Amino acid sequence: MLRIKTLLDILCFAAVILGLAPLFPWLDLPVKVIVVTAVGAGIVTEWRQRYWLKGWSATILTLIFFVLYLTQINLSNVVAPAVNLLALLLSIRLLTEKQGRHYLQIFVLALFCLAGSSLLSLGILYFPALILMVFVVTIGLVLLTFYHRDPGLRLKRSAAMTLLKTAAILPLGSLLLMLVLFFVLPRTQYPMWNFLNAQPSAVTGFSEQVRPGTFASNAATKDLAFRAECAQLPPKQLYWRGTVLNSINGASWSRTSPTHKAERVVGGTPVSCTITLPASNKRFLFTLDYPIDLEGIRTQQDGDLVFSARRPLRKGVSYTCRARPAGKLLAPSAAETQQYLKLPDQISPRVRQVAEQIRAQGKSAPERIQLLKEFFRAQQLTYANTDLPGPTAPMDEFLFDKKRGYCEFFASSFGVLLRLCEIPARLVGGYHGGDYNNFGDYYLITEDMAHVWVEALVDGRWERLDPSTLAQNAATGFLNRGDTLSLLRRTRDGLEFLWTQAIITYDLKKQLSVVRSGSKRASSLLSSASIPATSTLIYTAAIVAGLFLFGTAARWGIRQAHLTPQQRLLEKYHKALQRRYQLEQIPATTALLEHARELNDPNCIIFARRYSAILYGKKPLTKAEYAYLSALIQQIQKHTAA
Amino acid sequence: MSKPLERHAEIINVIDTLTGNYLQGKIKALRLSMIALLSDGHLLLEDIPGLGKTTLALALSHALGLSFGRIQCTSDLLPSDITGLSIFDRDQNNFRFIEGPIFNHILLADEINRAMPKTQSAMLEAMEERKVTVEGVSYPLPDPFMVIATQNPTEQIGTYPLPESQLDRFLITSGIGYPPPELEKQIILNGGVRDKILDIKPLLSLDAIHSAKRAVNDIYLDAKLVEYLFAIAEQTRAHRYISAGISTRGAISMATAARAAAYLDGREYVIPEDVKQIAVPVGAHRLILHPEHQSLNKREVMISILDNVKIPMV
């Protein structure tokens, strides 16, 4: 016997957890603590039937929280207080005694929490949470109607199962409806609230400026920067170009759009690479170094091969970039080198001295670069993210005192020294490296791979120099930054990629445009690479088909595992009969022999007799007998072909 | 313990011989009477006169080498007309018990519903107890002992219908039915077989019948089939047309009859087909319908119940 209240409680807490889990990262710390405590305590109190909060104390707490968060709400800050308040209300409700309407309140609040989380993020977690929530809440509501009639109601296990199964029809139907609505309704590709009112984050990744010395330490995060679908490349070629910083102002490097003609890329084999950039509200478009052109997005290209979108990326974009990773970057013949030789105002004497020495020793640019590299090596610099040089004279401190820093220190010092040696130089900001995901054949580039390197103009071509590799611990500290992702993380990221491709960036317009131009491009429709929308469709279909197959296989597996040899035989026999005679399932009220006689098939009669002997007689099912009966079934089935 | 399926061939031989030569088109009824005989039950044939009920009973008794008695029931038939009575023997100067027709292996009670209740109950008591007590002395009935009673379902005037409780004493109720048209024409052409039957030589010894009965008792009834039998009984009890379903005795009877059916089919174990085969003849007459559904055919009700009980397949 099952108490209906127990069932309802289980569903109720499931709904609470489903509602709060996706929202949890966005809650204030005290609220997080309260929520976790409340869920834990709620389960315990429900178990013991002794509640922490009485009706009036709950009301007072509710009022206090209301006032507390109501005062925080203003036009620019609506959602955060609202979701925190929702979570708190839910927590209070968990700690009080529950009657019918309280369960209803909990379901509604949990649903609101889940909905609130979608304003803040569109992670993949939302999807399973939503589906489960639909199930839990609808079944919960059905149970609630029973509970409302008779709170002490007890159900037999079989009756409860029937009830649950019947109640599960509702959410199944609504999920089908959801599938239809998915194709019909307009959607947003970025979380409504959180994205437009992005908070300035202290976590660094790729930035528009290089200002060594502003942070005492540099925290690397594993947040997604972008994904790039392409063939696997040698690690040395994995430089992702974002921006070029050509002006120095004090200690900081920044960008002024160059006016000169476009630089050209020659040599090396071209590589095509599809980059999927999440919504960032910025205009940078990353490319594989050295890029030739971009396709699939409206861009603005500068002479130094920096691409940017026409307007800030408010939704995720995907574009194809052609590049020659092993190529050479040729400067236009009449290059204005003056811009790339400007020096900062303050340069410490020690740095000047080094530059003078190099200028004296090396006559040509390649020689000087070589000397400069040797100087860097001789300084025994360490690649590090902590205990960094301070803001007053970061370059001097980096090269001679602390001798530790991250790529920005290496690149900016190297760049300044190059310019001091009369070699035109600039900094390139972007990413270096990438985790290749075999699951989806793409590189995953995370924020901790953000990198800055140097390009120097030597003999009319811009040569890539990465001073970070000159660190004494380059092999461990820089080239192997961070841990490689575990298999689990890779798989998860692969799934997330699919989610973004198939669900978030699914766009009806794309779909319609494909349909419109369908007659012309009917043949190219099949090649998924050329039309992103088609690949999206294929992905969706693949996911659905995959889930379906998996589900069927799992069901089959579970059933087979539960089946006795007898049942398996019987199932085979039924299938054979269905094939042979195009019969419906043998009715459960017809006995085997009776049925076989009706069919008047001697083989069937033999099978029915022998099988009955095993089933109802004392005859054991030996292996030989099993084999014989299987063969008999085959024979019954074979007559179809003949 | 007897050998499995002992004397099976001989019993089948009896059925084959009878149906082949004498009782064409009565194989079903003959099998049922054989089942009744092997499971120590009695048979009630419900059919109009002239379809060969007596012929069936006679043929069976002759072929099995059993003694045969016959009573034509009328409203003035007394219990002693069946059981026998003690009469004063002048020579011996004491009372001597004259056995009535019931002291035969096979007793044909024609039109049993014409006898008055007192007589009916006396006979039914003897059927159940397998002995007759007259003036304080018990006389055992022969073994095997089987009553083949007949009643005419159409004529109701001047009859005393058997109460349900007494119907329960009969293991099997069945009709005989008309023979198939071709066969009937043959019979019309050749005349009855009554005379030929009298010449049937016994095909079986009494001993053989006893060991066959023992073999039937040893037929294996699996727990699954017990479950199935119980499900059928339970369905009759819960059925909306039925006020009283199959009793526990009824279920036991069904199990026994199913065993006998399995034996006749040459199997050492009962299968659901056996149960289905005997469920209507054994079960139908035990159902007591609600007054408002009296007009329904109990056999049809029983069939509809069978069509609702799942066969145990696992």
Side-chain angles (χ1 to χ4, degrees):
Chain A
M1 296 294 265
L2 273 175
R3 278 174 71 217
I4 200 125
K5 185 165 164 31
T6 319
L7 276 179
L8 198 55
D9 279 331
I10 292 170
L11 287 176
C12 169
F13 279 102
V16 168
I17 290 167
L18 284 174
L20 286 177
L23 190 62
F24 196 72
W26 309 98
L27 297 177
D28 295 343
L29 182 65
V31 181
K32 279 183 185 175
V33 174
I34 293 176
V35 161
V36 171
T37 322
V39 172
I43 294 173
V44 174
T45 52
E46 204 53 58
W47 183 270
R48 290 199 189 153
Q49 295 283 311
R50 286 171 58 184
Y51 300 93
W52 288 14
L53 293 179
K54 295 275 172 281
W56 55 269
S57 51
T59 316
I60 289 176
L61 260 179
T62 311
L63 278 177
I64 291 173
F65 286 142
F66 242 115
V67 173
L68 212 63
Y69 276 100
L70 220 53
T71 50
Q72 287 185 20
I73 290 185
N74 57 45
L75 259 185
S76 64
N77 186 19
V78 179
V79 173
V83 292
N84 277 309
L85 187 58
L86 274 176
L88 285 174
L89 293 183
L90 190 53
S91 309
I92 294 172
R93 198 27 88 215
L94 288 179
L95 295 177
T96 55
E97 192 175 355
K98 300 176 197 64
Q99 281 151 11
R101 62 194 172 90
H102 298 138
Y103 282 110
L104 201 59
Q105 285 171 3
I106 289 173
F107 283 136
V108 171
L109 283 172
L111 205 58
F112 278 6
C113 281
L114 184 64
S117 81
S118 76
L119 291 177
L120 297 163
S121 106
L122 286 181
I124 190 169
L125 184 60
Y126 179 76
F127 184 57
L130 178 67
I131 287 180
L132 285 176
M133 184 67 110
V134 169
F135 270 92
V136 165
V137 170
T138 20
I139 296 174
L141 288 181
V142 172
L143 289 186
L144 199 56
T145 54
F146 282 79
Y147 180 76
H148 183 66
R149 282 270 150 174
D150 177 10
L153 186 65
R154 279 161 191 273
L155 288 178
K156 271 191 204 159
R157 197 166 279 272
S158 59
M161 284 318 289
T162 319
L163 180 61
L164 288 181
K165 274 182 199 160
T166 320
I169 294 172
L170 281 170
L172 272 177
S174 59
L175 283 178
L176 282 180
L177 196 66
M178 195 160 102
L179 202 68
V180 175
L181 292 182
F182 172 77
F183 286 101
V184 177
L185 287 185
R187 77 234 25 253
T188 157
Q189 295 185 358
Y190 44 90
M192 292 284 256
W193 192 260
N194 203 33
F195 182 74
L196 293 177
N197 298 296
Q199 291 164 352
S201 74
V203 191
T204 57
F206 175 79
S207 59
E208 292 166 64
Q209 281 193 328
V210 166
R211 276 154 76 184
T214 35
F215 301 109
S217 68
N218 180 16
T221 63
K222 275 277 179 199
D223 287 345
L224 167 77
F226 59 91
R227 297 185 180 94
E229 277 176 274
C230 60
Q232 219 165 347
L233 295 167
K236 276 193 179 174
Q237 295 180 0
L238 287 177
Y239 282 89
W240 308 95
R241 198 180 183 88
T243 186
V244 170
L245 307 170
N246 42 24
S247 330
I248 312 181
N249 191 2
S252 80
W253 290 71
S254 60
R255 174 175 181 75
T256 52
S257 282
T259 49
H260 58 74
K261 276 197 232 160
E263 290 150 9
R264 282 186 310 123
V265 188
V266 291
T269 40
V271 171
S272 178
C273 168
T274 304
I275 290 174
T276 310
L277 211 55
S280 63
N281 223 354
K282 292 176 185 163
R283 290 171 53 191
F284 294 106
L285 294 176
F286 295 94
T287 53
L288 183 62
D289 216 14
Y290 303 102
I292 307 168
D293 52 23
L294 288 193
E295 237 177 58
I297 187 166
R298 293 222 253 162
T299 57
Q300 195 175 317
Q301 183 184 351
D302 283 340
D304 48 4
L305 295 187
V306 170
F307 293 84
S308 48
R310 301 244 163 194
R311 52 179 77 88
L313 301 173
R314 291 210 167 158
K315 51 184 186 178
V317 290
S318 179
Y319 51 87
T320 310
C321 136
R322 278 200 306 139
R324 294 174 188 271
K328 288 173 182 164
L329 185 58
L330 295 188
S333 47
E336 303 162 27
T337 52
Q338 213 48 47
Q339 187 192 354
Y340 297 110
L341 285 169
K342 260 186 206 159
L343 291 169
D345 312 330
Q346 292 177 332
I347 299 175
S348 73
R350 282 196 277 190
V351 176
R352 278 189 192 280
Q353 204 184 335
V354 171
E356 268 163 33
Q357 251 175 9
I358 291 172
R359 262 194 315 216
Q361 281 178 22
K363 295 296 164 210
S364 65
E367 272 176 34
R368 287 177 182 175
I369 290 174
Q370 197 50 42
L371 285 169
L372 194 50
K373 281 185 180 172
E374 274 160 27
F375 164 71
F376 261 63
R377 283 208 191 90
Q379 288 307 101
Q380 302 223 316
L381 302 169
T382 309
Y383 191 92
N385 280 324
T386 51
D387 191 18
L388 302 172
T392 43
M395 193 171 140
D396 186 77
E397 202 180 338
F398 166 65
L399 286 175
F400 300 105
D401 299 332
K402 288 218 164 169
K403 297 194 175 182
R404 51 193 284 127
Y406 53 93
C407 58
E408 289 191 1
F409 288 93
F410 281 91
S412 63
S413 319
F414 204 85
V416 169
L417 277 167
L418 278 174
R419 287 188 177 190
L420 278 172
C421 298
E422 290 161 356
I423 302 170
R426 63 190 184 189
L427 263 54
V428 184
Y431 293 87
H432 174 52
D435 269 309
Y436 197 72
N437 192 322
N438 290 316
F439 184 70
D441 288 337
Y442 64 88
Y443 278 107
L444 170 70
I445 289 95
T446 47
E447 285 297 349
D448 62 343
M449 294 174 189
H451 191 47
V452 179
W453 62 94
V454 177
E455 277 178 351
L457 188 63
V458 183
D459 298 337
R461 72 184 188 90
W462 287 101
E463 197 180 327
R464 184 197 297 147
L465 299 168
D466 192 346
S468 300
T469 53
L470 302 174
Q472 56 167 353
N473 63 341
T476 52
F478 158 67
L479 291 176
N480 278 333
R481 271 183 305 176
D483 320 307
T484 38
L485 296 180
S486 66
L487 182 65
L488 186 71
R489 260 207 73 150
R490 267 168 210 261
T491 318
R492 212 196 74 185
D493 189 76
L495 281 176
E496 225 168 76
F497 183 47
L498 276 181
W499 163 256
T500 319
Q501 290 281 55
I503 309 291
I504 300 289
T505 59
Y506 172 82
D507 193 336
L508 196 67
K509 272 189 211 155
K510 283 186 202 167
Q511 231 42 38
L512 286 176
S513 71
V514 171
V515 172
R516 256 185 237 124
S517 57
S519 56
K520 284 180 199 167
R521 310 210 304 203
S523 57
S524 64
L525 231 159
L526 290 171
S527 59
S528 57
S530 60
I531 307 163
T534 316
S535 68
T536 315
L537 248 191
I538 290 172
Y539 271 126
T540 320
I543 290 179
V544 171
L547 282 177
F548 178 77
L549 278 180
F550 177 75
T552 318
R555 242 189 75 197
W556 186 83
I558 289 168
R559 275 193 58 192
Q560 288 295 312
H562 279 288
L563 287 184
T564 59
Q566 275 103 315
Q567 281 169 316
R568 236 173 286 154
L569 266 180
L570 192 64
E571 201 157 274
K572 276 203 236 169
Y573 177 66
H574 280 204
K575 281 211 180 109
L577 283 191
Q578 277 168 14
R579 268 185 219 156
R580 169 90 198 266
Y581 295 102
Q582 279 81 47
L583 288 177
E584 300 285 303
Q585 190 82 13
I586 300 180
T589 56
T590 309
L592 276 181
L593 191 55
E594 195 183 357
H595 190 256
R597 283 203 183 114
E598 271 170 33
L599 289 175
N600 205 12
D601 178 329
N603 280 337
C604 289
I605 294 178
I606 297 174
F607 176 85
R609 281 194 189 284
R610 298 188 78 134
Y611 187 74
S612 297
I614 294 157
L615 203 55
Y616 308 114
K618 286 180 195 162
K619 196 172 171 186
L621 179 59
T622 56
K623 278 205 173 145
E625 184 72 9
Y626 187 89
Y628 176 83
L629 288 176
S630 295
L632 200 61
I633 292 170
Q634 294 245 312
Q635 229 174 330
I636 292 170
Q637 201 175 324
K638 239 184 238 165
H639 282 281
T640 5
Chain B
M1 200 172 142
S2 56
K3 268 194 301 184
L5 296 182
E6 203 175 354
R7 307 280 181 179
H8 172 250
E10 286 158 274
I11 298 278
I12 292 299
N13 180 35
V14 171
I15 295 180
D16 287 348
T17 315
L18 286 181
T19 51
N21 302 333
Y22 309 98
L23 299 171
Q24 285 115 327
K26 294 196 180 59
I27 179 151
K28 207 182 142 216
L30 188 63
R31 270 179 74 93
L32 284 177
S33 29
M34 198 58 101
I35 287 172
L37 181 78
L38 290 176
S39 41
D40 258 340
H42 307 285
L43 180 66
L44 177 63
L45 293 174
E46 278 185 321
D47 226 330
I48 53 171
L51 289 180
K53 293 180 293 241
T54 318
T55 315
L56 175 73
L58 262 177
L60 197 62
S61 59
H62 276 269
L64 297 175
L66 300 173
S67 62
F68 177 74
R70 177 176 179 162
I71 316 162
Q72 187 65 45
C73 298
T74 56
S75 54
D76 54 359
L77 186 78
L78 292 171
S80 58
D81 294 340
I82 297 175
T83 57
L85 70 169
S86 298
I87 53 169
F88 187 74
D89 190 337
R90 273 193 209 176
D91 303 337
Q92 307 269 324
N93 203 22
N94 63 359
F95 279 94
R96 184 160 60 86
F97 181 67
I98 305 283
E99 292 180 345
I102 204 164
F103 286 89
N104 280 306
H105 285 116
I106 291 180
L107 172 70
L108 179 67
D110 241 344
E111 306 213 50
I112 189 170
N113 54 344
R114 294 207 170 272
M116 57 182 169
K118 190 177 176 183
T119 314
Q120 282 177 5
S121 70
M123 187 174 80
L124 292 163
E125 200 184 323
M127 281 161 60
E128 185 69 15
E129 305 292 327
R130 292 179 188 271
K131 65 181 185 208
V132 170
T133 308
V134 177
E135 287 160 11
V137 187
S138 287
Y139 304 93
L141 296 179
D143 181 36
F145 170 67
M146 175 167 77
V147 173
I148 300 178
T150 71
Q151 74 179 356
N152 183 346
T154 53
E155 270 182 59
Q156 295 299 327
I157 298 169
T159 62
Y160 305 94
L162 291 174
E164 274 82 0
S165 60
Q166 298 201 339
L167 274 178
D168 208 29
R169 304 278 163 89
F170 286 98
L171 179 73
I172 287 172
T173 308
S174 171
I176 284 191
Y178 297 103
E182 282 310 310
L183 207 57
E184 190 164 3
K185 284 177 208 160
Q186 279 280 316
I187 295 169
I188 295 167
L189 182 70
N190 298 334
V193 289
R194 189 68 72 84
D195 300 334
K196 271 178 21 185
I197 284 172
L198 297 175
D199 301 333
I200 298 177
K201 294 280 170 293
L203 296 166
L204 218 55
S205 66
L206 203 59
D207 195 38
I209 296 174
H210 284 287
S211 40
K213 274 172 72 179
R214 276 198 300 279
V216 167
N217 243 328
D218 291 338
I219 297 279
Y220 172 68
L221 183 73
D222 196 80
K224 291 193 256 303
L225 284 152
V226 176
E227 200 75 32
Y228 181 51
L229 282 165
F230 175 73
I232 294 174
E234 208 178 35
Q235 281 259 338
T236 63
R237 291 166 198 168
H239 200 277
R240 61 202 167 97
Y241 291 168
I242 299 172
S243 66
I246 290 173
S247 61
T248 308
R249 177 164 62 192
I252 294 171
S253 303
M254 276 169 71
T256 321
R259 279 196 173 102
Y263 174 84
L264 287 189
D265 218 26
R267 255 181 289 103
E268 295 162 44
Y269 47 87
V270 180
I271 63 171
E273 282 83 347
D274 299 324
V275 177
K276 279 191 129 177
Q277 190 189 332
I278 53 85
V280 173
V282 177
H285 64 278
R286 293 167 207 265
L287 305 179
I288 300 171
L289 300 177
H290 284 302
E292 62 268 35
H293 299 301
Q294 282 296 357
S295 58
L296 288 173
N297 187 336
K298 288 179 183 178
R299 281 180 202 153
E300 298 299 330
V301 176
M302 194 68 205
I303 288 170
S304 80
I305 286 168
L306 282 181
D307 282 343
N308 273 320
V309 182
K310 276 194 187 166
I311 306 278
M313 282 289 189
V314 213

